[in-house]
PDB file of all heavy atoms in Angstrom:
ATOM      1  N   GLY B1300     -12.187  53.333  54.365  1.00 86.00           N
ATOM      2  CA  GLY B1300     -12.820  54.507  53.852  1.00 86.00           C
ATOM      3  C   GLY B1300     -13.258  55.451  54.946  1.00 86.00           C
ATOM      4  O   GLY B1300     -13.503  55.225  56.042  1.00 86.00           O
ATOM      5  N   ARG B1301     -13.326  56.652  54.410  1.00 87.00           N
ATOM      6  CA  ARG B1301     -13.670  57.878  55.239  1.00 87.00           C
ATOM      7  C   ARG B1301     -14.935  57.726  56.167  1.00 87.00           C
ATOM      8  O   ARG B1301     -14.945  57.937  57.289  1.00 87.00           O
ATOM      9  CB  ARG B1301     -13.891  59.007  54.270  1.00 87.00           C
ATOM     10  CG  ARG B1301     -13.830  60.356  54.799  1.00 87.00           C
ATOM     11  CD  ARG B1301     -14.134  61.321  53.654  1.00 87.00           C
ATOM     12  NE  ARG B1301     -14.582  62.641  54.169  1.00 87.00           N
ATOM     13  CZ  ARG B1301     -13.738  63.562  54.468  1.00 87.00           C
ATOM     14  NH1 ARG B1301     -12.451  63.502  54.436  1.00 87.00           N
ATOM     15  NH2 ARG B1301     -14.203  64.685  55.131  1.00 87.00           N
ATOM     16  N   GLU B1302     -16.000  57.324  55.396  1.00 88.00           N
ATOM     17  CA  GLU B1302     -17.274  57.322  56.016  1.00 88.00           C
ATOM     18  C   GLU B1302     -17.155  56.255  57.256  1.00 88.00           C
ATOM     19  O   GLU B1302     -17.703  56.469  58.334  1.00 88.00           O
ATOM     20  CB  GLU B1302     -18.360  56.815  55.041  1.00 88.00           C
ATOM     21  CG  GLU B1302     -19.649  57.442  55.288  1.00 88.00           C
ATOM     22  CD  GLU B1302     -19.680  58.921  55.348  1.00 88.00           C
ATOM     23  OE1 GLU B1302     -18.673  59.617  55.062  1.00 88.00           O
ATOM     24  OE2 GLU B1302     -20.712  59.453  55.701  1.00 88.00           O
ATOM     25  N   ARG B1303     -16.564  55.160  56.921  1.00 89.00           N
ATOM     26  CA  ARG B1303     -16.558  53.931  57.965  1.00 89.00           C
ATOM     27  C   ARG B1303     -15.547  54.388  59.096  1.00 89.00           C
ATOM     28  O   ARG B1303     -15.748  53.964  60.222  1.00 89.00           O
ATOM     29  CB  ARG B1303     -16.126  52.746  57.259  1.00 89.00           C
ATOM     30  CG  ARG B1303     -17.540  52.034  56.660  1.00 89.00           C
ATOM     31  CD  ARG B1303     -17.115  50.885  55.869  1.00 89.00           C
ATOM     32  NE  ARG B1303     -16.507  49.824  56.644  1.00 89.00           N
ATOM     33  CZ  ARG B1303     -15.896  48.783  56.018  1.00 89.00           C
ATOM     34  NH1 ARG B1303     -15.919  48.609  54.773  1.00 89.00           N
ATOM     35  NH2 ARG B1303     -15.430  47.811  56.771  1.00 89.00           N
ATOM     36  N   LEU B1304     -14.650  55.334  58.780  1.00 90.00           N
ATOM     37  CA  LEU B1304     -13.703  55.715  59.891  1.00 90.00           C
ATOM     38  C   LEU B1304     -14.543  56.615  60.842  1.00 90.00           C
ATOM     39  O   LEU B1304     -14.560  56.411  62.097  1.00 90.00           O
ATOM     40  CB  LEU B1304     -12.533  56.566  59.338  1.00 90.00           C
ATOM     41  CG  LEU B1304     -11.470  55.768  58.729  1.00 90.00           C
ATOM     42  CD1 LEU B1304     -10.291  56.725  58.444  1.00 90.00           C
ATOM     43  CD2 LEU B1304     -10.929  54.651  59.665  1.00 90.00           C
ATOM     44  N   SER B1305     -15.386  57.540  60.314  1.00 89.00           N
ATOM     45  CA  SER B1305     -16.141  58.348  61.127  1.00 89.00           C
ATOM     46  C   SER B1305     -17.249  57.571  61.933  1.00 89.00           C
ATOM     47  O   SER B1305     -17.519  57.801  63.099  1.00 89.00           O
ATOM     48  CB  SER B1305     -16.653  59.593  60.424  1.00 89.00           C
ATOM     49  OG  SER B1305     -17.388  59.153  59.332  1.00 89.00           O
ATOM     50  N   ASP B1306     -17.735  56.461  61.283  1.00 90.00           N
ATOM     51  CA  ASP B1306     -18.701  55.623  61.922  1.00 90.00           C
ATOM     52  C   ASP B1306     -18.001  54.783  63.029  1.00 90.00           C
ATOM     53  O   ASP B1306     -18.517  54.643  64.157  1.00 90.00           O
ATOM     54  CB  ASP B1306     -19.238  54.577  60.922  1.00 90.00           C
ATOM     55  CG  ASP B1306     -20.260  55.232  60.060  1.00 90.00           C
ATOM     56  OD1 ASP B1306     -20.657  56.395  60.347  1.00 90.00           O
ATOM     57  OD2 ASP B1306     -20.642  54.578  59.066  1.00 90.00           O
ATOM     58  N   ALA B1307     -16.736  54.465  62.845  1.00 91.00           N
ATOM     59  CA  ALA B1307     -15.985  53.705  63.762  1.00 91.00           C
ATOM     60  C   ALA B1307     -15.695  54.641  65.104  1.00 91.00           C
ATOM     61  O   ALA B1307     -15.890  54.190  66.198  1.00 91.00           O
ATOM     62  CB  ALA B1307     -14.657  53.254  63.315  1.00 91.00           C
ATOM     63  N   ILE B1308     -15.446  55.934  64.767  1.00 91.00           N
ATOM     64  CA  ILE B1308     -15.327  56.801  65.982  1.00 91.00           C
ATOM     65  C   ILE B1308     -16.576  56.958  66.761  1.00 91.00           C
ATOM     66  O   ILE B1308     -16.606  56.929  67.929  1.00 91.00           O
ATOM     67  CB  ILE B1308     -14.805  58.239  65.359  1.00 91.00           C
ATOM     68  CG1 ILE B1308     -13.445  58.149  64.633  1.00 91.00           C
ATOM     69  CG2 ILE B1308     -14.838  59.269  66.646  1.00 91.00           C
ATOM     70  CD1 ILE B1308     -13.137  59.414  64.010  1.00 91.00           C
ATOM     71  N   LEU B1309     -17.619  57.070  65.978  1.00 91.00           N
ATOM     72  CA  LEU B1309     -19.088  57.132  66.523  1.00 91.00           C
ATOM     73  C   LEU B1309     -19.308  55.965  67.405  1.00 91.00           C
ATOM     74  O   LEU B1309     -19.782  56.089  68.586  1.00 91.00           O
ATOM     75  CB  LEU B1309     -20.053  57.273  65.463  1.00 91.00           C
ATOM     76  CG  LEU B1309     -21.469  57.503  65.848  1.00 91.00           C
ATOM     77  CD1 LEU B1309     -21.637  58.863  66.522  1.00 91.00           C
ATOM     78  CD2 LEU B1309     -22.442  57.369  64.588  1.00 91.00           C
ATOM     79  N   GLU B1310     -19.016  54.771  66.866  1.00 91.00           N
ATOM     80  CA  GLU B1310     -19.341  53.490  67.584  1.00 91.00           C
ATOM     81  C   GLU B1310     -18.535  53.379  68.873  1.00 91.00           C
ATOM     82  O   GLU B1310     -19.064  52.899  69.941  1.00 91.00           O
ATOM     83  CB  GLU B1310     -19.131  52.340  66.689  1.00 91.00           C
ATOM     84  CG  GLU B1310     -20.301  51.979  65.851  1.00 91.00           C
ATOM     85  CD  GLU B1310     -19.962  51.199  64.682  1.00 91.00           C
ATOM     86  OE1 GLU B1310     -19.061  50.339  64.706  1.00 91.00           O
ATOM     87  OE2 GLU B1310     -20.620  51.474  63.568  1.00 91.00           O
ATOM     88  N   ARG B1311     -17.285  53.775  68.802  1.00 91.00           N
ATOM     89  CA  ARG B1311     -16.351  53.647  69.920  1.00 91.00           C
ATOM     90  C   ARG B1311     -16.755  54.589  71.080  1.00 91.00           C
ATOM     91  O   ARG B1311     -16.572  54.335  72.233  1.00 91.00           O
ATOM     92  CB  ARG B1311     -15.001  53.981  69.513  1.00 91.00           C
ATOM     93  CG  ARG B1311     -14.258  52.805  68.752  1.00 91.00           C
ATOM     94  CD  ARG B1311     -13.459  51.911  69.837  1.00 91.00           C
ATOM     95  NE  ARG B1311     -12.397  52.636  70.459  1.00 91.00           N
ATOM     96  CZ  ARG B1311     -11.139  52.916  69.936  1.00 91.00           C
ATOM     97  NH1 ARG B1311     -10.817  52.332  68.797  1.00 91.00           N
ATOM     98  NH2 ARG B1311     -10.228  53.571  70.663  1.00 91.00           N
ATOM     99  N   THR B1312     -17.255  55.732  70.680  1.00 91.00           N
ATOM    100  CA  THR B1312     -17.461  56.755  71.744  1.00 91.00           C
ATOM    101  C   THR B1312     -18.941  56.714  72.335  1.00 91.00           C
ATOM    102  O   THR B1312     -19.168  57.251  73.386  1.00 91.00           O
ATOM    103  CB  THR B1312     -17.253  58.193  71.170  1.00 91.00           C
ATOM    104  OG1 THR B1312     -17.864  58.302  69.950  1.00 91.00           O
ATOM    105  CG2 THR B1312     -15.872  58.417  71.027  1.00 91.00           C
ATOM    106  N   ARG B1313     -19.805  56.268  71.461  1.00 90.00           N
ATOM    107  CA  ARG B1313     -21.230  56.304  71.813  1.00 90.00           C
ATOM    108  C   ARG B1313     -21.568  55.697  73.244  1.00 90.00           C
ATOM    109  O   ARG B1313     -22.219  56.394  73.960  1.00 90.00           O
ATOM    110  CB  ARG B1313     -22.127  55.400  70.812  1.00 90.00           C
ATOM    111  CG  ARG B1313     -23.276  56.233  70.441  1.00 90.00           C
ATOM    112  CD  ARG B1313     -24.049  55.510  69.338  1.00 90.00           C
ATOM    113  NE  ARG B1313     -25.101  56.328  68.863  1.00 90.00           N
ATOM    114  CZ  ARG B1313     -25.607  56.183  67.717  1.00 90.00           C
ATOM    115  NH1 ARG B1313     -25.225  55.352  66.869  1.00 90.00           N
ATOM    116  NH2 ARG B1313     -26.751  56.973  67.443  1.00 90.00           N
ATOM    117  N   PRO B1314     -21.104  54.438  73.538  1.00 90.00           N
ATOM    118  CA  PRO B1314     -21.516  53.809  74.828  1.00 90.00           C
ATOM    119  C   PRO B1314     -21.092  54.734  76.045  1.00 90.00           C
ATOM    120  O   PRO B1314     -21.796  54.813  76.918  1.00 90.00           O
ATOM    121  CB  PRO B1314     -20.858  52.494  74.818  1.00 90.00           C
ATOM    122  CG  PRO B1314     -20.329  52.198  73.397  1.00 90.00           C
ATOM    123  CD  PRO B1314     -20.286  53.550  72.779  1.00 90.00           C
ATOM    124  N   GLU B1315     -19.906  55.228  75.905  1.00 89.00           N
ATOM    125  CA  GLU B1315     -19.300  56.072  76.967  1.00 89.00           C
ATOM    126  C   GLU B1315     -20.240  57.270  77.205  1.00 89.00           C
ATOM    127  O   GLU B1315     -20.442  57.707  78.293  1.00 89.00           O
ATOM    128  CB  GLU B1315     -17.889  56.391  76.735  1.00 89.00           C
ATOM    129  CG  GLU B1315     -17.151  56.868  77.846  1.00 89.00           C
ATOM    130  CD  GLU B1315     -15.699  57.004  77.555  1.00 89.00           C
ATOM    131  OE1 GLU B1315     -15.141  56.607  76.478  1.00 89.00           O
ATOM    132  OE2 GLU B1315     -15.015  57.708  78.444  1.00 89.00           O
ATOM    133  N   LEU B1316     -20.653  57.860  76.068  1.00 89.00           N
ATOM    134  CA  LEU B1316     -21.395  59.111  76.176  1.00 89.00           C
ATOM    135  C   LEU B1316     -22.793  58.924  76.652  1.00 89.00           C
ATOM    136  O   LEU B1316     -23.345  59.702  77.279  1.00 89.00           O
ATOM    137  CB  LEU B1316     -21.405  59.885  74.831  1.00 89.00           C
ATOM    138  CG  LEU B1316     -20.085  60.388  74.455  1.00 89.00           C
ATOM    139  CD1 LEU B1316     -20.051  60.880  72.986  1.00 89.00           C
ATOM    140  CD2 LEU B1316     -19.738  61.590  75.360  1.00 89.00           C
ATOM    141  N   ILE B1317     -23.358  57.672  76.287  1.00 89.00           N
ATOM    142  CA  ILE B1317     -24.716  57.351  76.793  1.00 89.00           C
ATOM    143  C   ILE B1317     -24.785  57.378  78.293  1.00 89.00           C
ATOM    144  O   ILE B1317     -25.762  57.930  78.846  1.00 89.00           O
ATOM    145  CB  ILE B1317     -25.138  55.889  76.297  1.00 89.00           C
ATOM    146  CG1 ILE B1317     -25.363  55.965  74.766  1.00 89.00           C
ATOM    147  CG2 ILE B1317     -26.315  55.347  77.045  1.00 89.00           C
ATOM    148  CD1 ILE B1317     -26.764  56.523  74.429  1.00 89.00           C
ATOM    149  N   SER B1318     -23.730  57.021  78.968  1.00 90.00           N
ATOM    150  CA  SER B1318     -23.658  57.006  80.459  1.00 90.00           C
ATOM    151  C   SER B1318     -23.615  58.422  80.950  1.00 90.00           C
ATOM    152  O   SER B1318     -23.848  58.685  82.129  1.00 90.00           O
ATOM    153  CB  SER B1318     -22.544  56.177  80.894  1.00 90.00           C
ATOM    154  OG  SER B1318     -21.310  56.839  80.519  1.00 90.00           O
ATOM    155  N   LEU B1319     -23.407  59.342  80.060  1.00 88.00           N
ATOM    156  CA  LEU B1319     -23.363  60.801  80.464  1.00 88.00           C
ATOM    157  C   LEU B1319     -24.644  61.493  80.110  1.00 88.00           C
ATOM    158  O   LEU B1319     -24.803  62.768  80.172  1.00 88.00           O
ATOM    159  CB  LEU B1319     -22.164  61.572  79.870  1.00 88.00           C
ATOM    160  CG  LEU B1319     -20.729  61.073  80.064  1.00 88.00           C
ATOM    161  CD1 LEU B1319     -19.802  61.866  79.229  1.00 88.00           C
ATOM    162  CD2 LEU B1319     -20.386  61.001  81.504  1.00 88.00           C
ATOM    163  N   GLY B1320     -25.602  60.593  79.560  1.00 88.00           N
ATOM    164  CA  GLY B1320     -26.860  61.210  79.193  1.00 88.00           C
ATOM    165  C   GLY B1320     -26.784  61.870  77.838  1.00 88.00           C
ATOM    166  O   GLY B1320     -27.625  62.660  77.509  1.00 88.00           O
ATOM    167  N   ILE B1321     -25.677  61.601  77.093  1.00 90.00           N
ATOM    168  CA  ILE B1321     -25.513  62.239  75.835  1.00 90.00           C
ATOM    169  C   ILE B1321     -25.734  61.214  74.720  1.00 90.00           C
ATOM    170  O   ILE B1321     -25.146  60.110  74.752  1.00 90.00           O
ATOM    171  CB  ILE B1321     -24.117  62.767  75.647  1.00 90.00           C
ATOM    172  CG1 ILE B1321     -23.968  63.960  76.598  1.00 90.00           C
ATOM    173  CG2 ILE B1321     -23.783  63.176  74.197  1.00 90.00           C
ATOM    174  CD1 ILE B1321     -22.604  64.430  76.777  1.00 90.00           C
ATOM    175  N   GLU B1322     -26.512  61.531  73.698  1.00 91.00           N
ATOM    176  CA  GLU B1322     -26.645  60.657  72.530  1.00 91.00           C
ATOM    177  C   GLU B1322     -25.840  61.298  71.418  1.00 91.00           C
ATOM    178  O   GLU B1322     -26.115  62.424  70.976  1.00 91.00           O
ATOM    179  CB  GLU B1322     -28.159  60.536  72.093  1.00 91.00           C
ATOM    180  CG  GLU B1322     -28.225  59.564  70.959  1.00 91.00           C
ATOM    181  CD  GLU B1322     -29.563  59.805  70.188  1.00 91.00           C
ATOM    182  OE1 GLU B1322     -30.441  60.616  70.580  1.00 91.00           O
ATOM    183  OE2 GLU B1322     -29.731  59.282  69.100  1.00 91.00           O
ATOM    184  N   LEU B1323     -24.820  60.695  70.980  1.00 91.00           N
ATOM    185  CA  LEU B1323     -23.998  61.087  69.834  1.00 91.00           C
ATOM    186  C   LEU B1323     -24.775  60.726  68.496  1.00 91.00           C
ATOM    187  O   LEU B1323     -25.048  59.596  68.306  1.00 91.00           O
ATOM    188  CB  LEU B1323     -22.606  60.487  69.858  1.00 91.00           C
ATOM    189  CG  LEU B1323     -21.449  61.232  69.123  1.00 91.00           C
ATOM    190  CD1 LEU B1323     -21.387  62.583  69.657  1.00 91.00           C
ATOM    191  CD2 LEU B1323     -20.136  60.491  69.270  1.00 91.00           C
ATOM    192  N   ILE B1324     -24.977  61.693  67.697  1.00 91.00           N
ATOM    193  CA  ILE B1324     -25.704  61.386  66.488  1.00 91.00           C
ATOM    194  C   ILE B1324     -24.836  61.101  65.286  1.00 91.00           C
ATOM    195  O   ILE B1324     -24.990  60.183  64.674  1.00 91.00           O
ATOM    196  CB  ILE B1324     -26.678  62.604  66.094  1.00 91.00           C
ATOM    197  CG1 ILE B1324     -27.690  62.816  67.263  1.00 91.00           C
ATOM    198  CG2 ILE B1324     -27.359  62.431  64.818  1.00 91.00           C
ATOM    199  CD1 ILE B1324     -28.291  64.037  67.227  1.00 91.00           C
ATOM    200  N   ASP B1325     -23.749  61.917  65.151  1.00 90.00           N
ATOM    201  CA  ASP B1325     -22.834  61.570  64.124  1.00 90.00           C
ATOM    202  C   ASP B1325     -21.485  62.264  64.397  1.00 90.00           C
ATOM    203  O   ASP B1325     -21.426  63.235  65.183  1.00 90.00           O
ATOM    204  CB  ASP B1325     -23.350  61.801  62.707  1.00 90.00           C
ATOM    205  CG  ASP B1325     -23.257  63.353  62.330  1.00 90.00           C
ATOM    206  OD1 ASP B1325     -23.097  64.204  63.254  1.00 90.00           O
ATOM    207  OD2 ASP B1325     -23.542  63.714  61.180  1.00 90.00           O
ATOM    208  N   VAL B1326     -20.493  61.806  63.752  1.00 91.00           N
ATOM    209  CA  VAL B1326     -19.176  62.432  63.702  1.00 91.00           C
ATOM    210  C   VAL B1326     -18.749  62.674  62.256  1.00 91.00           C
ATOM    211  O   VAL B1326     -18.840  61.845  61.415  1.00 91.00           O
ATOM    212  CB  VAL B1326     -18.083  61.452  64.370  1.00 91.00           C
ATOM    213  CG1 VAL B1326     -16.761  62.123  64.304  1.00 91.00           C
ATOM    214  CG2 VAL B1326     -18.532  61.199  65.815  1.00 91.00           C
ATOM    215  N   GLN B1327     -18.450  63.881  61.982  1.00 89.00           N
ATOM    216  CA  GLN B1327     -17.994  64.291  60.623  1.00 89.00           C
ATOM    217  C   GLN B1327     -16.386  64.684  60.706  1.00 89.00           C
ATOM    218  O   GLN B1327     -16.046  65.501  61.471  1.00 89.00           O
ATOM    219  CB  GLN B1327     -18.772  65.411  60.178  1.00 89.00           C
ATOM    220  CG  GLN B1327     -20.240  65.178  59.917  1.00 89.00           C
ATOM    221  CD  GLN B1327     -20.545  64.374  58.684  1.00 89.00           C
ATOM    222  OE1 GLN B1327     -19.747  64.196  57.814  1.00 89.00           O
ATOM    223  NE2 GLN B1327     -21.849  63.934  58.611  1.00 89.00           N
ATOM    224  N   LEU B1328     -15.778  64.049  59.673  1.00 89.00           N
ATOM    225  CA  LEU B1328     -14.342  64.517  59.585  1.00 89.00           C
ATOM    226  C   LEU B1328     -14.484  65.704  58.683  1.00 89.00           C
ATOM    227  O   LEU B1328     -14.557  65.679  57.415  1.00 89.00           O
ATOM    228  CB  LEU B1328     -13.532  63.399  58.811  1.00 89.00           C
ATOM    229  CG  LEU B1328     -13.445  62.136  59.600  1.00 89.00           C
ATOM    230  CD1 LEU B1328     -12.654  61.022  58.803  1.00 89.00           C
ATOM    231  CD2 LEU B1328     -12.633  62.403  60.931  1.00 89.00           C
ATOM    232  N   ARG B1329     -14.627  66.913  59.288  1.00 87.00           N
ATOM    233  CA  ARG B1329     -14.853  68.061  58.593  1.00 87.00           C
ATOM    234  C   ARG B1329     -13.756  68.406  57.672  1.00 87.00           C
ATOM    235  O   ARG B1329     -13.795  68.834  56.489  1.00 87.00           O
ATOM    236  CB  ARG B1329     -15.221  69.213  59.478  1.00 87.00           C
ATOM    237  CG  ARG B1329     -15.578  70.522  58.833  1.00 87.00           C
ATOM    238  CD  ARG B1329     -16.081  71.502  59.737  1.00 87.00           C
ATOM    239  NE  ARG B1329     -15.138  71.735  60.851  1.00 87.00           N
ATOM    240  CZ  ARG B1329     -15.278  72.582  61.877  1.00 87.00           C
ATOM    241  NH1 ARG B1329     -16.535  73.177  61.978  1.00 87.00           N
ATOM    242  NH2 ARG B1329     -14.437  72.771  62.759  1.00 87.00           N
ATOM    243  N   ARG B1330     -12.529  68.271  58.079  1.00 87.00           N
ATOM    244  CA  ARG B1330     -11.287  68.719  57.354  1.00 87.00           C
ATOM    245  C   ARG B1330     -10.191  67.781  57.607  1.00 87.00           C
ATOM    246  O   ARG B1330      -9.899  67.481  58.813  1.00 87.00           O
ATOM    247  CB  ARG B1330     -11.018  70.180  57.768  1.00 87.00           C
ATOM    248  CG  ARG B1330     -10.247  70.966  56.763  1.00 87.00           C
ATOM    249  CD  ARG B1330     -10.386  72.360  57.093  1.00 87.00           C
ATOM    250  NE  ARG B1330      -9.627  72.616  58.353  1.00 87.00           N
ATOM    251  CZ  ARG B1330      -8.265  72.945  58.346  1.00 87.00           C
ATOM    252  NH1 ARG B1330      -7.579  72.893  57.368  1.00 87.00           N
ATOM    253  NH2 ARG B1330      -7.685  73.124  59.554  1.00 87.00           N
ATOM    254  N   ILE B1331      -9.534  67.394  56.523  1.00 88.00           N
ATOM    255  CA  ILE B1331      -8.312  66.635  56.658  1.00 88.00           C
ATOM    256  C   ILE B1331      -7.330  67.387  55.747  1.00 88.00           C
ATOM    257  O   ILE B1331      -7.548  67.592  54.602  1.00 88.00           O
ATOM    258  CB  ILE B1331      -8.504  65.265  56.251  1.00 88.00           C
ATOM    259  CG1 ILE B1331      -9.209  64.459  57.299  1.00 88.00           C
ATOM    260  CG2 ILE B1331      -7.022  64.578  56.043  1.00 88.00           C
ATOM    261  CD1 ILE B1331      -9.574  63.127  56.964  1.00 88.00           C
TER     262      ILE B1331
END
Side-chain angles (χ1 to χ4, degrees):
Chain B
R1301 194 182 160 89
E1302 213 58 7
R1303 278 169 64 193
L1304 281 188
S1305 50
D1306 286 349
I1308 298 171
L1309 185 67
E1310 274 157 35
R1311 280 266 299 273
T1312 46
R1313 221 176 190 160
E1315 197 174 344
L1316 290 168
I1317 286 285
S1318 66
L1319 304 177
I1321 291 171
E1322 183 203 352
L1323 198 60
I1324 295 162
D1325 75 349
V1326 175
Q1327 296 281 349
L1328 297 171
R1329 184 169 54 182
R1330 205 163 65 85
I1331 287 172

